[in-house]
Amino acid sequence: MAFDFDQWIDRRHSDSLKWHKYGDRDVLPLWVADTDFRSPPAVIEAIKKRADHGVFGYGAAPDGLIDITLSRLAQRYNWHIEPDWLVLLPGVVCGLNLSVRAFTESGQSTVAPTPIYPPFRTAAQLAERTQVNLPMRLQGDRWVMDLNTSIMQGNERLLMLCNPHNPCGTVYRRDELEAQLAFAQQHDLIVCSDEIHCDLLLSPDVHHIPFATLNEDAAQRSITLISPSKSFNIAGLGASLAIIPNRELRQRFKQVREGIVPGVDILALVAAEAAWRDGEEWLTAQLDYLRANRDRLVAQVNALPALRMTAPEATYLGWIDASRLAVDTPALYFEQHGLGFSPGGDFGDDRFVRFNFGCTRATLEQAVTRLQHAVAARG
């Protein structure tokens, strides 16, 4: 089946957070992490079929979603989990926040890389916890986490990982994950691993390895967060899962959730099951399209003397170094030239911007042209 990722779908006056942000201003929204692609036909059809039923009462976790989750993890990662390890959530972000509140107490700290997806940072702030930041450093053409133990204070309790990494696009190799596990063991840390982008691998020589599959110790100290939302462009439906093999950790997680985080919407459950069960052909085609977008963007960015960008191994997010552009706030500067990027400061580094290239080729070309004009305007 052919899928048309070049199809323009006007989201300007829909309920799109991404496109609503700039209103009628001539600014291309290339920020929040959803794509401009129509979701897989199988997902759309499954939602229509469920809507035709006409009754939308409280929902329970469908056996089909549990079954396809177990099957998918076993086939892709040789990870054989039990159904009762799963906790359904209306989003990965609430999983990050629940982990901070369940596994740290007042006076204890979280540990996270920097730069990092902003909810990693705000989860600690909202819970009134401090956070130790381990810098992501550029080694060759890959960003990797510097596990520098000298900055640890001794009150850390939770290590928060992001693999594939947002915003740097790194897919951690086994030896890097084993080093993270050794770090967690050394400091007696529980590990929350956000693996929401695990299906969006753009480099043929990389493979996603769930942290919890390293060994039994990794499994017993871990909370793994997964979702089809990014991979199949159903983020607005909000169906995610936490995988928690350790019974005590799972009970603490569920206890903190009780009465605060609602159940998952029934249409979201239907969409998630359809995506994982019947969306593979669409996903493969999307990855080919995103890979071409990435290669085009990397080549054009690095042709500009004031900008630098490594090729992300996964995700549809480009982390662009604008430090040589010599402007106070790169995101604001680019916005004035019609480009709506995510500000690097939200991730922990003001010198950068994040570029969402999950868009049509025509939008990408328009954005590249505006990027060239913006850089040229600096002389």
Side-chain angles (χ1 to χ4, degrees):
M1 181 182 296
F3 305 101
D4 186 6
F5 296 99
D6 285 320
Q7 181 185 10
W8 165 250
I9 300 171
D10 191 354
R11 304 177 68 194
R12 288 189 185 92
H13 300 290
S14 69
D15 52 5
S16 166
L17 173 69
K18 180 180 181 180
W19 283 83
H20 179 75
K21 179 176 180 178
Y22 300 105
D24 291 323
R25 295 170 57 198
D26 184 20
V27 178
L28 292 176
L30 303 160
W31 61 292
V32 70
D34 67 20
T35 71
D36 291 329
F37 309 137
R38 190 181 298 277
S39 297
V43 170
I44 297 171
E45 288 305 312
I47 293 173
K48 287 179 178 179
K49 182 178 179 180
R50 181 62 182 85
D52 285 343
H53 182 263
V55 180
F56 307 103
Y58 295 114
D63 292 338
L65 176 58
I66 303 302
D67 291 344
I68 191 60
T69 300
L70 270 59
S71 174
R72 189 177 185 83
L73 294 175
Q75 291 175 5
R76 286 182 167 243
Y77 313 118
N78 195 30
W79 188 11
H80 300 279
I81 71 169
E82 299 295 332
D84 62 0
W85 296 0
L86 296 174
V87 181
L88 269 66
L89 298 169
V92 160
V93 169
C94 65
L96 297 172
N97 282 270
L98 287 173
S99 294
V100 171
R101 298 177 189 221
F103 307 122
T104 66
E105 300 175 357
S106 179
Q108 293 181 329
S109 181
T110 66
V111 184
T114 185
I116 193 62
Y117 178 49
F120 279 67
R121 296 154 57 87
T122 57
Q125 295 167 6
L126 292 170
E128 298 183 338
R129 308 292 194 260
T130 56
Q131 186 171 91
V132 171
N133 292 126
L134 301 172
M136 297 290 292
R137 300 200 186 281
L138 194 57
Q139 292 186 1
D141 58 357
R142 297 178 66 244
W143 291 92
V144 296
M145 188 162 54
D146 183 357
L147 297 173
N148 183 354
T149 61
S150 66
I151 63 176
M152 300 290 280
Q153 301 297 312
N155 65 338
E156 297 83 7
R157 184 58 180 148
L158 178 70
L159 173 60
M160 304 178 74
L161 301 177
C162 188
N163 180 34
H165 187 272
N166 176 7
C168 295
T170 302
V171 178
Y172 290 121
R173 309 302 194 258
R174 182 170 295 276
D175 63 323
E176 293 165 341
L177 290 168
E178 289 173 344
Q180 294 166 10
L181 173 58
F183 180 88
Q185 293 169 330
Q186 178 183 353
H187 298 283
D188 192 24
L189 302 173
I190 297 166
V191 178
C192 176
S193 183
D194 171 6
E195 303 183 9
I196 193 172
H197 292 282
C198 64
D199 288 333
L200 293 169
L201 304 183
L202 302 181
S203 298
D205 58 338
V206 300
H207 305 280
H208 178 71
I209 302 171
F211 177 86
T213 65
L214 292 176
N215 58 33
E216 185 61 19
D217 180 80
Q220 291 301 315
R221 67 171 68 239
S222 67
I223 300 91
T224 304
L225 303 175
I226 61 170
S227 174
S229 62
K230 301 296 184 184
S231 306
F232 298 92
N233 202 27
I234 52 175
L237 291 170
S240 302
L241 300 99
I243 307 170
I244 313 177
N246 183 285
R247 181 179 179 183
E248 179 184 350
L249 297 184
R250 189 166 63 249
Q251 290 300 104
R252 287 163 61 184
F253 186 90
K254 293 169 74 171
Q255 183 178 19
V256 171
R257 173 214 174 114
E258 197 67 30
I260 302 296
V261 177
V264 181
D265 176 271
I266 55 174
L267 293 182
L269 295 171
V270 167
E273 179 180 344
W276 274 340
R277 186 178 301 282
D278 300 314
E280 199 63 31
E281 186 179 357
W282 181 93
L283 177 61
T284 299
Q286 180 193 217
L287 290 175
D288 289 340
Y289 195 89
L290 290 173
R291 191 174 296 114
N293 273 6
R294 177 202 62 179
D295 294 346
R296 172 67 173 161
L297 179 62
V298 170
Q300 292 302 307
V301 166
N302 289 326
L304 299 171
L307 303 179
R308 288 175 293 180
M309 176 185 171
T310 61
E313 297 172 322
T315 80
Y316 44 78
L317 306 167
W319 187 235
I320 299 176
D321 183 353
S323 58
R324 292 184 291 183
L325 192 61
V327 297
D328 292 336
T329 309
L332 179 59
Y333 177 77
F334 286 124
E335 185 178 320
Q336 293 166 348
H337 287 79
L339 295 162
F341 298 140
S342 294
D346 292 350
F347 301 79
D349 196 328
D350 285 321
R351 302 171 301 168
F352 286 73
V353 294
R354 193 187 72 172
F355 187 131
N356 177 348
F357 56 86
C359 57
T360 67
R361 198 68 41 78
T363 299
L364 180 67
E365 291 302 330
Q366 187 179 5
V368 166
T369 298
R370 293 187 182 195
L371 193 65
Q372 293 167 337
H373 290 164
V375 172
R378 290 297 299 167

